[in-house]
Amino acid sequence: MDTAVTAKKKWWSGGYSPFNVSYGKLMMWYFLMSDAFTFGALLISYGTIRFMSTSWPDPNEVFRSFPGMGEAHMPLVFVSLMTFILIMSSVTMVLAVHAGHMRDRKAVVKWMAWTIVGGIAFLSCQAWEWTHLFHEGAWWGRNPFSNINGTVASTNFTNFFFTITGFHGLHVTSGVVLNIVILANVLKGTYEERGHYEMIEKVGLYWHFVDLVWVFVFTCFYLL
Amino acid sequence: MSNEATLHSHQQEATHGAVAHDHGNGHEHHHEDSFISKYVFSMDHKMIAKQFLITGIIWAVIGAGFSVLFRLQLAFPDATFPFLESLLGHWAKGGHISAEAYYALVTMHGTILVFFVLTAGLSGTFSNLLIPLQVGARDMASPFMNMLSYWFFFLASLVMTASLFVQTGPASGGWTSYPPLSALGDASIGSKIGMDLWLTSMALFVVSQLLGGLNYISTILNMRTKGMSMTKMPLTIWAFFFTAILGVLSFPVLLSGFILLLFDRHAGTSFYLSDLFVAGKVLSNEGGSAILYQHLFWFLGHPEVYIIILPAMGMVSEVLAVSSRKPIFGYLAMVGSLFAIAILAFLVWAHHMFVTGLNPFLGAFFVLLTLLIAVPSAIKVFNWLTTIWKGSIRFTPASLFSIGFVSTFISGGLTGIWLGNSSIDIHLHDTYFVIAHFHIVMGVSAFFGMFAGIYHWYPKLYGRYLNGTLGYIHFWITLVGAYLIFWPMHYEGMAGMPRRYYDYSNWESFKQFVELNKFISIVVFTVFATQLLFVFNFFYSIFKGRKLTTTNPWDATTLEWTTPIRPGHGNWPGEIPEVHRWAYDYSKDGKDFIPQTVPIGPDESKH
Ligand code: HEM
Ligand SMILES: [Cu+2]
């Protein structure tokens, strides 16, 4: 908006955006709302099935390994590291957005690059964890872990785990791809020419959302 | 076309793949439209509207055609029709539709009409056409995403069409595709590859809906012309706005449900499966819940019925005000009731599941919330009736269809109240009573709204009129026919006749309906033929219809009629007009109508 904003401006009476945001950001917000419903539906399904079951495997037993540590019993250490990495990448994203506001191209490049590194690191961790579980015999339709009360578990523990963390991983992957595209544009000078770095804000919104979803996924699968 | 040059700057930016833009720093440049960019991969919302409409019409003929075929079976279960064998091949050996074909036809009929015709064809057409024109924008916020929205719908259509031709046939477990039937390929031939194609097509369709919906919302919020405050918007726009929000928030849940279903089909999971026998064999699936799918499905499914009806409500409100030359009665109540319906739409889904073993205590809340919907619905009906009350109604085909809409919406809404009571629903669930309810309240009403819209805005689409005489014939036969078809079904349902049966003549209790079923089917054939008359009218008038001589053929107040008869890409050749008043200044201060662009006069009365 290049119209001067005065205190008495009637935001809703047409001619400009009532929230003073571009349509692109507005769309991103609505898209995130809709995506929240996608994840919400998956997580609620998970909750429903889990509460219907008499017992469920113990995450402290399932997620106890750490790369290179052999049989050491380290419950939830690795996933905490993953979570830490992802949250740090959100921090670097904030810094990138901030640098964008300052129109400091160098800093944008630096922080975007770190965000991408964080995303890739997270995905690599996830790849390791999946492979590890796969070698333990877990996959869609296969569940080697028994319930916490010692009974045989249904396969729904692994079914939901792979489906939901996989779906989240897909989101992270597309986030990384988006970030790379945007970084390339920053390097090309596209946003310098355009006069603002709003694109960074938009991918930033997406990135934070994906992180936020992970917090829920993390809670539901690893903590509860 | 010189209008093209006035296209707002965001057009070009979006074409160049960027999403962000500033209004105002426009760099206008002329560009020649090729055939491809004008008619095929068009980014003009008006052309995209036509693409949605014509694709919708084609689907409507196919989907309704399927109902003709299965009504043939219901009317004459013992007769043979050789032409069916030439049409369906081994699906109708000896001219008699097989049970598998019957279920496939019913399923495809529902899917096509609910999603492809009444969602994409109705809201896709008119949201696209009217949002930019009525809020005063050059185009959608992102014309590029808008184009994608159509092409995802097109892809979905292609996949669905392909599924009709695979060897094991299309999906045949009903438009709701409940597991375990839909999850197990061995359970029926319709659950094989046809089901996968159905799911793929529907996933593409969801993408199309999201792309469209995000665009509609941000266009309405961000791109209104100067003076067009939210409360000056015509009710059509409010309706499209709530429709888009419903879609954006409910389709993702359906997508999640489909993802889980796909895993159950192909990855050996048991999200929806437990304790099953198929063909005498025990399946190993444990721990899933078929009811879970129903929750996910109806969380979309119920909002979906409002996604279908809200645009029709919006257009009917508009057409009724224009044709009775009176302001809409209770504008704010109309907006408020749309809002209430949109909220409640998310809170009633389990009324489709009263007999699934749902906890009756929980059911009681869903009964209450369901019956609450009757309140905003009744407000709307009351306001429509008061709007036309003592109006000097111009009985155009559009206004007749709008009045027809009000009639069918009342008839069908009343039976909804029966069904909304869980104790009555135990008897009526899955009978023809439900079929009657939702065909009248959703099927017929939404079609009437759509017809009203087509007759009313055809001049804007093609610069010509539809033939009026054919329009009157179309209306009267359709109205009378619709009641003759669906009214008797209430009685069949109350007598316990279940839906989705292939042949009722085997049941002693339903023998009494043999003649009635014949009668219904014959009316179906007549009404279907009448719709073909409309389709003829539609295509004939594109080329041969009476030409428009004025930009405002219905003496309406809204902005779309301030554009040239055939507006170019960008809609207004000059500046976008400014808006000074609401859309319903009819018969005010001795004037027949005052367009929204006219400034408020010094001694004008308040409305
Ligand atoms: C007062 C308003 C309404 C109430 C209380 C109501 C209630 C219900 C109930 C309880 C059912 C489930 C019946 C059963 O399966 O046993 C039902 C089915 C249905 N209703 Fe309504 N309804 C209302 C209005 C509408 C409207 C406005 C529409 C669409 C525009 C609609 C579309 C449908 C459809 C499509 C079904 C059947 C879906 C299926 O099983 O295939 N209803 N309605
Ligand atoms: Cu419903």
Side-chain angles (χ1 to χ4, degrees), chain B residues 186-465:
Chain B
D186 293 336
S188 89
I189 62 164
S191 304
K192 294 185 196 297
I193 178 89
M195 194 64 225
D196 291 314
L197 292 171
W198 189 91
L199 287 168
T200 314
S201 168
M202 287 304 299
L204 291 166
F205 186 79
V206 171
V207 175
S208 153
Q209 284 302 304
L210 289 181
L211 288 167
L214 292 173
N215 236 324
Y216 306 153
I217 294 172
S218 36
T219 308
I220 293 172
L221 286 176
N222 259 21
M223 317 273 291
R224 283 167 289 125
T225 183
K226 203 151 173 256
M228 181 65 87
S229 62
M230 296 298 273
T231 46
K232 289 204 179 80
M233 297 196 310
L235 287 170
T236 35
I237 303 299
W238 274 109
F240 298 143
F241 182 62
F242 288 120
T243 306
I245 291 182
L246 285 177
V248 162
L249 298 184
S250 63
F251 272 111
V253 176
L254 183 71
L255 192 66
S256 302
F258 285 170
I259 292 172
L260 300 185
L261 185 55
L262 272 173
F263 276 107
D264 271 3
R265 291 177 57 75
H266 296 295
T269 58
S270 332
F271 294 119
Y272 302 134
L273 306 173
S274 197
D275 312 314
L276 288 161
F277 293 80
V278 170
K281 273 200 302 246
V282 188
L283 300 190
S284 62
N285 303 80
E286 267 318 317
S289 159
I291 304 298
L292 172 63
Y293 174 88
Q294 296 193 21
H295 281 294
L296 294 174
F297 182 88
W298 287 114
F299 188 86
L300 159 93
H302 186 82
E304 168 64 19
V305 306
Y306 285 97
I307 289 172
I308 287 174
I309 207 72
L310 291 189
M313 289 177 165
M315 293 194 292
V316 162
S317 309
E318 180 68 19
V319 171
L320 283 181
V322 174
S323 52
S324 46
R325 315 309 298 161
K326 278 181 64 192
I328 192 82
F329 185 88
Y331 175 86
L332 281 180
M334 287 303 234
V335 175
S337 52
L338 284 174
F339 180 68
I341 289 177
I343 299 284
L344 285 171
F346 282 111
L347 303 174
V348 299
W349 77 89
H351 65 213
H352 296 273
M353 301 166 58
F354 285 141
V355 299
T356 55
L358 186 82
N359 184 333
F361 182 69
L362 199 60
F365 288 96
F366 280 102
V367 170
L368 178 69
L369 290 162
T370 300
L371 297 184
L372 269 182
I373 292 205
V375 176
S377 308
I379 292 178
K380 298 202 79 77
V381 167
F382 177 80
N383 286 358
W384 285 318
L385 294 178
T386 353
T387 300
I388 56 176
W389 181 253
K390 290 193 172 166
S392 45
I393 305 179
R394 299 178 180 172
F395 288 104
T396 58
S399 73
L400 286 176
F401 273 110
S402 303
I403 296 168
F405 169 95
V406 178
S407 160
T408 52
F409 187 72
I410 297 174
S411 318
L414 287 175
T415 54
I417 297 177
W418 293 41
L419 294 168
N421 289 282
S422 53
S423 46
I424 306 180
D425 188 56
I426 292 172
H427 178 63
L428 293 175
H429 178 69
D430 260 348
T431 67
Y432 264 71
F433 193 91
V434 177
I435 304 283
H437 158 66
F438 76 77
H439 277 86
I440 292 188
V441 75
M442 177 176 79
V444 179
S445 302
F447 259 107
F448 276 22
M450 186 166 171
F451 287 136
I454 295 175
Y455 281 99
H456 189 78
W457 280 287
Y458 195 86
K460 195 74 257 161
L461 280 165
Y462 293 106
R464 294 168 188 269
Y465 295 94

Side-chain angles (χ1 to χ4, degrees), chain B residues 118-137:
Chain B
L118 292 179
T119 305
L122 174 54
S123 136
T125 303
F126 288 102
S127 296
N128 265 303
L129 177 70
L130 294 178
I131 289 176
L133 281 172
Q134 288 194 333
V135 304

Side-chain angles (χ1 to χ4, degrees), chain B residues 87-125:
Chain B
L87 190 66
L88 301 176
H90 71 94
W91 296 92
K93 259 213 176 67
H96 191 246
I97 295 181
S98 69
E100 287 78 15
Y102 176 84
Y103 291 124
L105 287 171
V106 177
T107 303
M108 284 297 123
H109 165 77
T111 306
I112 290 171
L113 282 150
V114 168
F115 293 109
F116 289 3
V117 180
L118 292 179
T119 305
L122 174 54
S123 136
T125 303

Side-chain angles (χ1 to χ4, degrees), chain A residues 32-81:
Chain A
L32 296 182
M33 267 165 71
S34 103
D35 218 26
F37 273 66
T38 321
F39 275 108
L42 289 173
L43 287 173
I44 289 172
S45 304
Y46 163 69
T48 314
I49 296 291
R50 182 164 170 178
F51 282 112
M52 274 174 45
S53 311
T54 42
S55 184
W56 203 251
D58 177 8
N60 290 312
E61 282 306 310
V62 178
F63 308 109
R64 62 175 188 285
S65 310
F66 199 88
M69 301 300 282
E71 284 306 300
H73 189 77
M74 304 173 72
L76 304 188
V77 177
F78 187 60
V79 72
S80 306
L81 175 69

